[in-house]
Amino acid sequence: MTVNMLKEKTWLPDQTFPINIFFSTSFPLHWHDHIEWVFMKKGKLRIQIDADIEELEPGELAFINSKQLHGGWPLVEGTEFVSIVFNEGLVRGSELDVTENHYFLPYLTNQDKWPTKIQKNDPYLEEISHSFSRLVEEFESKQPAHELIIKAELLRIFGLFFRYASQNDESPRVSRRVNERDFPHLLHLLRERFRESITVDEAAQIVNLSPNHFCRVFKQMTSKTLIEYIHLLRINEAERLLMETNDPIWEIALQVGFSSTAYFGRVFKKIKNLSPSEIRK
């Protein structure tokens, strides 16, 4: 499976005002060209954003940048969440606007490592939740000038999100800035070629870094080593094949890039906490 097979063509009903809201209980692994915010209403959700896996509870939020691979699976019955999907053009300014270069451009190009989740008791969660509610209400009511109010709430959420990110001790904005511009391209390449043996030297060359510097920056951006990231992509695809096909486990291991079935089994259990045969059952 290539990254293009996982691309979702998200339905935005008005291309002149590109935003849509979905009420869901789960969503498969996919990516799209838009920004997505997930707001938990009920239950518990396991959400994957690129290589990161988090759990969301009622009232908590996840932020998904454009072109990030993501999926969500309910952990309890009755799980519900709201997804707000919109094109970045709805909130971006011009190059002369200070908000463009200071906030949106570093976020959209992954030059800044922003948090992917705001959880209970985090600062600004209550204010952001209120903005989410007002945004959804305006989107559904379609009253006169609802577009202006929706856009205002989007910008308010972004502003509070950036304020939260800048004060988050785990990702201080200045110290974690990354100047290398080609990491999004590299991540897409890895998703397309995850079956292949890609070395650190090869990956480092793609982003024009030394292997040692590449390892540090890659771990900083993904919280994973290169091999851990590739293993995650392989195991996610293997899990899908185990559930959707009748192919033998040894054959699935080969299909996703493992030459040893035993090694495949160990890596699978480490990531999923279940063996391939348990997933198949």
Side-chain angles (χ1 to χ4, degrees):
M1 176 178 287
T2 67
V3 66
N4 289 330
M5 293 176 66
L6 292 175
K7 184 177 182 181
E8 175 189 84
K9 188 174 182 180
T10 310
W11 181 57
L12 303 180
D14 184 352
Q15 293 301 315
T16 65
F17 193 68
I19 184 172
N20 204 358
I21 296 177
F22 304 91
F23 298 86
S24 311
T25 59
S26 67
F27 52 93
L29 204 62
H30 68 286
W31 65 277
H32 44 66
D33 293 324
H34 310 293
I35 298 169
E36 181 171 350
W37 293 339
V38 175
F39 176 68
M40 281 295 296
K41 294 183 66 179
K42 295 167 54 180
K44 194 172 185 179
L45 185 76
R46 186 183 78 172
I47 188 168
Q48 176 185 332
I49 303 173
D50 278 338
D52 294 328
I53 296 177
E54 302 275 6
E55 291 185 2
L56 293 181
E57 296 185 354
E60 296 185 333
L61 308 169
F63 293 84
I64 303 161
N65 206 342
S66 65
K67 297 181 174 62
Q68 281 193 304
L69 193 67
H70 58 284
W73 303 270
L75 296 176
V76 297
E77 290 186 9
T79 295
E80 295 179 12
F81 59 90
V82 180
S83 292
I84 298 177
V85 182
F86 59 97
N87 189 273
E88 64 188 57
L90 202 58
V91 292
R92 291 183 69 174
S94 68
E95 291 184 0
L96 298 177
D97 186 339
V98 66
T99 63
E100 174 72 3
N101 291 322
H102 195 60
Y103 298 107
F104 288 112
L105 195 58
Y107 172 71
L108 295 169
T109 59
N110 291 308
Q111 292 177 38
D112 280 346
K113 179 66 175 179
W114 299 111
T116 58
K117 173 185 175 183
I118 298 183
Q119 57 191 11
K120 291 179 180 178
N121 303 319
D122 277 349
Y124 311 112
L125 177 61
E126 185 175 354
E127 291 181 75
I128 291 176
S129 298
H130 288 162
S131 283
F132 263 94
S133 298
R134 287 192 292 267
L135 192 157
V136 172
E137 182 180 341
E138 289 292 333
F139 183 85
E140 292 183 320
S141 68
K142 299 292 191 296
Q143 294 187 55
H146 68 276
E147 297 95 339
L148 290 173
I149 297 176
I150 287 173
K151 191 168 183 176
E153 295 297 349
L154 283 174
L155 289 170
R156 178 173 174 78
I157 293 169
F158 256 123
L160 292 168
F161 170 56
F162 289 151
R163 183 173 293 175
Y164 166 77
S166 68
Q167 296 176 7
N168 187 335
D169 291 337
E170 294 183 358
S171 59
R173 192 159 185 267
V174 175
S175 65
R176 293 193 63 172
R177 177 176 291 277
V178 177
N179 293 323
E180 290 74 24
R181 296 171 294 175
D182 295 327
F183 270 84
H185 169 67
L186 172 63
L187 294 179
H188 281 286
L189 189 66
L190 293 176
R191 291 170 197 150
E192 288 193 331
R193 296 174 51 192
F194 65 84
R195 295 178 180 85
E196 303 175 24
S197 296
I198 300 175
T199 67
V200 167
D201 287 347
E202 290 171 333
Q205 188 173 9
I206 291 171
V207 293
N208 298 314
L209 294 177
S210 69
N212 287 339
H213 189 192
F214 166 80
C215 289
R216 289 194 299 273
V217 175
F218 190 88
K219 185 70 178 287
Q220 173 184 318
M221 296 187 71
T222 67
S223 301
K224 299 282 188 296
T225 65
L226 177 65
I227 190 62
E228 287 171 344
Y229 190 85
I230 292 173
H231 279 171
L232 182 63
L233 295 174
R234 290 178 175 181
I235 295 305
N236 282 335
E237 173 64 0
E239 183 180 38
R240 185 191 70 83
L241 292 171
L242 286 165
M243 293 189 293
E244 297 181 6
T245 75
N246 293 318
D247 295 346
I249 291 175
W250 66 266
E251 186 175 314
I252 289 175
L254 292 176
Q255 287 180 47
V256 300
F258 288 94
S259 58
S260 165
T261 305
Y263 183 53
F264 164 71
R266 290 197 298 272
V267 175
F268 193 101
K269 189 161 188 176
K270 180 179 179 181
I271 293 175
K272 298 296 183 179
N273 294 319
L274 292 170
S275 68
S277 58
E278 288 172 323
I279 292 288
R280 172 59 60 81
K281 290 177 183 178

